Amino acid sequence: MSATPGQTPSQTVGPYFAYGLASTQYGYPFRALFGAELAEPRTPGEPIVITGRVLDGNGEPIPDAMLEIQHADASGRHVRTPADVAATGFRGFGRMGTGTLPGHAFAFRTIKPGATPDGQAPHVDVILTMRGLLSHAFTRIYFDDEAAANAKDPVLAAVPPERRATLLATRDVQPGGVVYRFDVRMQGDAETVFFDA
């Protein structure tokens, strides 16, 4: 008998995040630490909604994906402490599953991030988890109305030019406010660019 156990096989995450990570959204009787609202009405900056769907290789929406997003505030600073959140009402981090909105969409209410001091364009970091993935996937959301900043962004510059459009959210001004549309395509035509970390 070996005293050193071997590595166990990987397995997919299953749909369990609905219960453990997004409980409020899915109607479970306990509070989730994070939700789809990253900002309060008093938070400085332009209020926006980032919405879209996670699509499979056939272009069909995936009903049991979960997205986590994180981004800087309107000044380009990241939340570091609970005092930062208390001062502005901006949490900087959100989490939402695709199982409760019509069309299996996601929708985050936040503020538009500013460019960061290290020269990165306004962007949102995204972690995607879903049934069938052995490990979560990383991507980014950039904004199509930030062409000048996007042209200087070092991460976006590392992406082949013909694939950069898969990282751009499209701005739409609606009666209720500004909405950015961003679909995550897991495979197939116009597959979203994913990063190693």
Side-chain angles (χ1 to χ4, degrees):
M1 177 188 282
S2 172
T4 306
Q7 181 177 358
T8 58
S10 295
Q11 63 184 33
T12 63
V13 297
Y16 309 116
F17 59 79
Y19 181 82
L21 297 175
S23 54
T24 304
Q25 175 190 346
Y26 286 90
Y28 291 104
F30 44 90
R31 184 176 158 272
L33 291 177
F34 298 98
E37 298 205 11
L38 284 72
E40 297 177 5
R42 66 186 176 97
T43 302
E46 179 183 24
I48 64 171
V49 173
I50 299 172
T51 188
R53 297 177 300 165
V54 180
L55 304 173
D56 66 16
N58 295 320
E60 296 296 322
I62 296 172
D64 59 357
M66 184 183 72
L67 295 94
E68 294 178 322
I69 68 168
Q70 182 271 334
H71 66 81
D73 66 14
S75 301
R77 294 188 312 260
H78 289 277
V79 171
R80 301 285 184 217
T81 67
D84 292 343
V85 178
T88 66
F90 177 63
R91 295 178 235 349
F93 181 88
R95 177 184 289 144
M96 184 175 195
T98 60
T100 60
L101 293 183
H104 302 296
F106 59 86
F108 291 97
R109 296 188 179 282
T110 187
I111 53 162
K112 189 173 179 187
T116 57
D118 60 359
Q120 294 186 58
H123 68 277
V124 176
D125 292 315
V126 180
I127 298 174
L128 175 69
T129 305
M130 61 184 238
R131 184 193 324 244
L133 279 183
L134 296 179
S135 184
H136 42 276
F138 298 90
T139 191
R140 276 189 169 191
I141 300 171
Y142 289 90
F143 300 93
D144 71 344
D145 57 341
E146 295 284 350
N150 291 344
K152 300 175 189 172
D153 185 89
V155 176
L156 201 53
V159 174
E162 67 276 10
R163 307 253 352 257
R164 292 177 191 161
T166 70
L167 299 175
L168 294 180
T170 305
R171 183 182 176 99
D172 181 22
V173 180
Q174 299 184 0
V178 176
V179 174
Y180 283 92
R181 176 77 187 188
F182 182 79
D183 289 337
V184 180
R185 296 180 183 275
M186 299 304 298
Q187 296 176 320
D189 293 339
E191 177 183 324
T192 299
V193 169
F194 295 101
F195 299 97
D196 290 335

